[in-house]
Short mmCIF file of all heavy atoms in Angstrom, two decimals:
data_model
loop_
_atom_site.label_atom_id
_atom_site.label_comp_id
_atom_site.label_asym_id
_atom_site.label_seq_id
_atom_site.Cartn_x
_atom_site.Cartn_y
_atom_site.Cartn_z
N GLY A 97 44.37 93.00 70.94
CA GLY A 97 43.40 93.92 71.53
C GLY A 97 43.30 93.87 73.04
O GLY A 97 42.38 94.46 73.62
N GLN A 98 44.24 93.20 73.70
CA GLN A 98 44.13 93.04 75.16
C GLN A 98 45.10 93.93 75.94
O GLN A 98 45.25 93.76 77.15
CB GLN A 98 44.34 91.57 75.53
CG GLN A 98 43.24 90.67 75.00
CD GLN A 98 43.28 89.27 75.58
OE1 GLN A 98 43.37 89.09 76.80
NE2 GLN A 98 43.18 88.27 74.72
N LYS A 99 45.70 94.89 75.24
CA LYS A 99 46.52 95.88 75.93
C LYS A 99 45.74 97.19 75.95
O LYS A 99 45.51 97.80 74.90
CB LYS A 99 47.85 96.08 75.21
CG LYS A 99 48.69 97.22 75.80
CD LYS A 99 49.89 97.51 74.92
CE LYS A 99 50.65 98.74 75.43
NZ LYS A 99 51.80 99.09 74.56
N PRO A 100 45.31 97.66 77.12
CA PRO A 100 44.58 98.93 77.18
C PRO A 100 45.40 100.05 76.56
O PRO A 100 46.60 100.18 76.81
CB PRO A 100 44.37 99.14 78.69
CG PRO A 100 44.37 97.74 79.24
CD PRO A 100 45.40 97.00 78.43
N VAL A 101 44.75 100.86 75.70
CA VAL A 101 45.46 101.91 74.96
C VAL A 101 44.77 103.25 75.10
O VAL A 101 43.60 103.35 75.47
CB VAL A 101 45.56 101.55 73.46
CG1 VAL A 101 46.32 100.25 73.26
CG2 VAL A 101 44.17 101.43 72.82
N GLY A 102 45.53 104.30 74.79
CA GLY A 102 44.97 105.65 74.66
C GLY A 102 44.41 106.22 75.96
O GLY A 102 44.68 105.75 77.06
N GLN A 103 43.62 107.27 75.76
CA GLN A 103 42.96 107.90 76.89
C GLN A 103 41.96 106.93 77.52
O GLN A 103 41.38 106.11 76.83
CB GLN A 103 42.21 109.16 76.43
CG GLN A 103 43.09 110.21 75.78
CD GLN A 103 42.26 111.38 75.27
OE1 GLN A 103 41.16 111.64 75.75
NE2 GLN A 103 42.80 112.09 74.30
N ASP A 104 41.79 107.04 78.82
CA ASP A 104 40.76 106.27 79.52
C ASP A 104 40.92 104.76 79.27
O ASP A 104 39.97 104.05 78.98
CB ASP A 104 39.36 106.71 79.06
CG ASP A 104 39.21 108.21 79.03
OD1 ASP A 104 39.64 108.86 79.99
OD2 ASP A 104 38.69 108.74 78.04
N SER A 105 42.14 104.28 79.39
CA SER A 105 42.46 102.92 79.01
C SER A 105 41.77 101.86 79.87
O SER A 105 41.72 100.70 79.48
CB SER A 105 43.98 102.71 79.06
OG SER A 105 44.49 102.98 80.36
N ASP A 106 41.23 102.24 81.03
CA ASP A 106 40.52 101.28 81.88
C ASP A 106 39.14 100.92 81.32
O ASP A 106 38.56 99.88 81.66
CB ASP A 106 40.30 101.84 83.29
CG ASP A 106 41.61 102.06 84.03
OD1 ASP A 106 42.63 101.48 83.59
OD2 ASP A 106 41.62 102.79 85.03
N HIS A 107 38.64 101.75 80.45
CA HIS A 107 37.24 101.71 80.05
C HIS A 107 36.81 100.38 79.44
O HIS A 107 35.78 99.82 79.79
CB HIS A 107 36.97 102.85 79.07
CG HIS A 107 35.54 103.12 78.80
ND1 HIS A 107 34.94 102.86 77.59
CD2 HIS A 107 34.57 103.62 79.60
CE1 HIS A 107 33.66 103.20 77.64
NE2 HIS A 107 33.41 103.67 78.85
N GLY A 108 37.59 99.86 78.52
CA GLY A 108 37.20 98.64 77.83
C GLY A 108 37.06 97.45 78.76
O GLY A 108 36.16 96.61 78.59
#
Side-chain angles (χ1 to χ4, degrees):
Q98 295 191 49
K99 174 189 174 182
V101 299
Q103 301 176 24
D104 314 315
S105 58
D106 295 344
H107 193 249

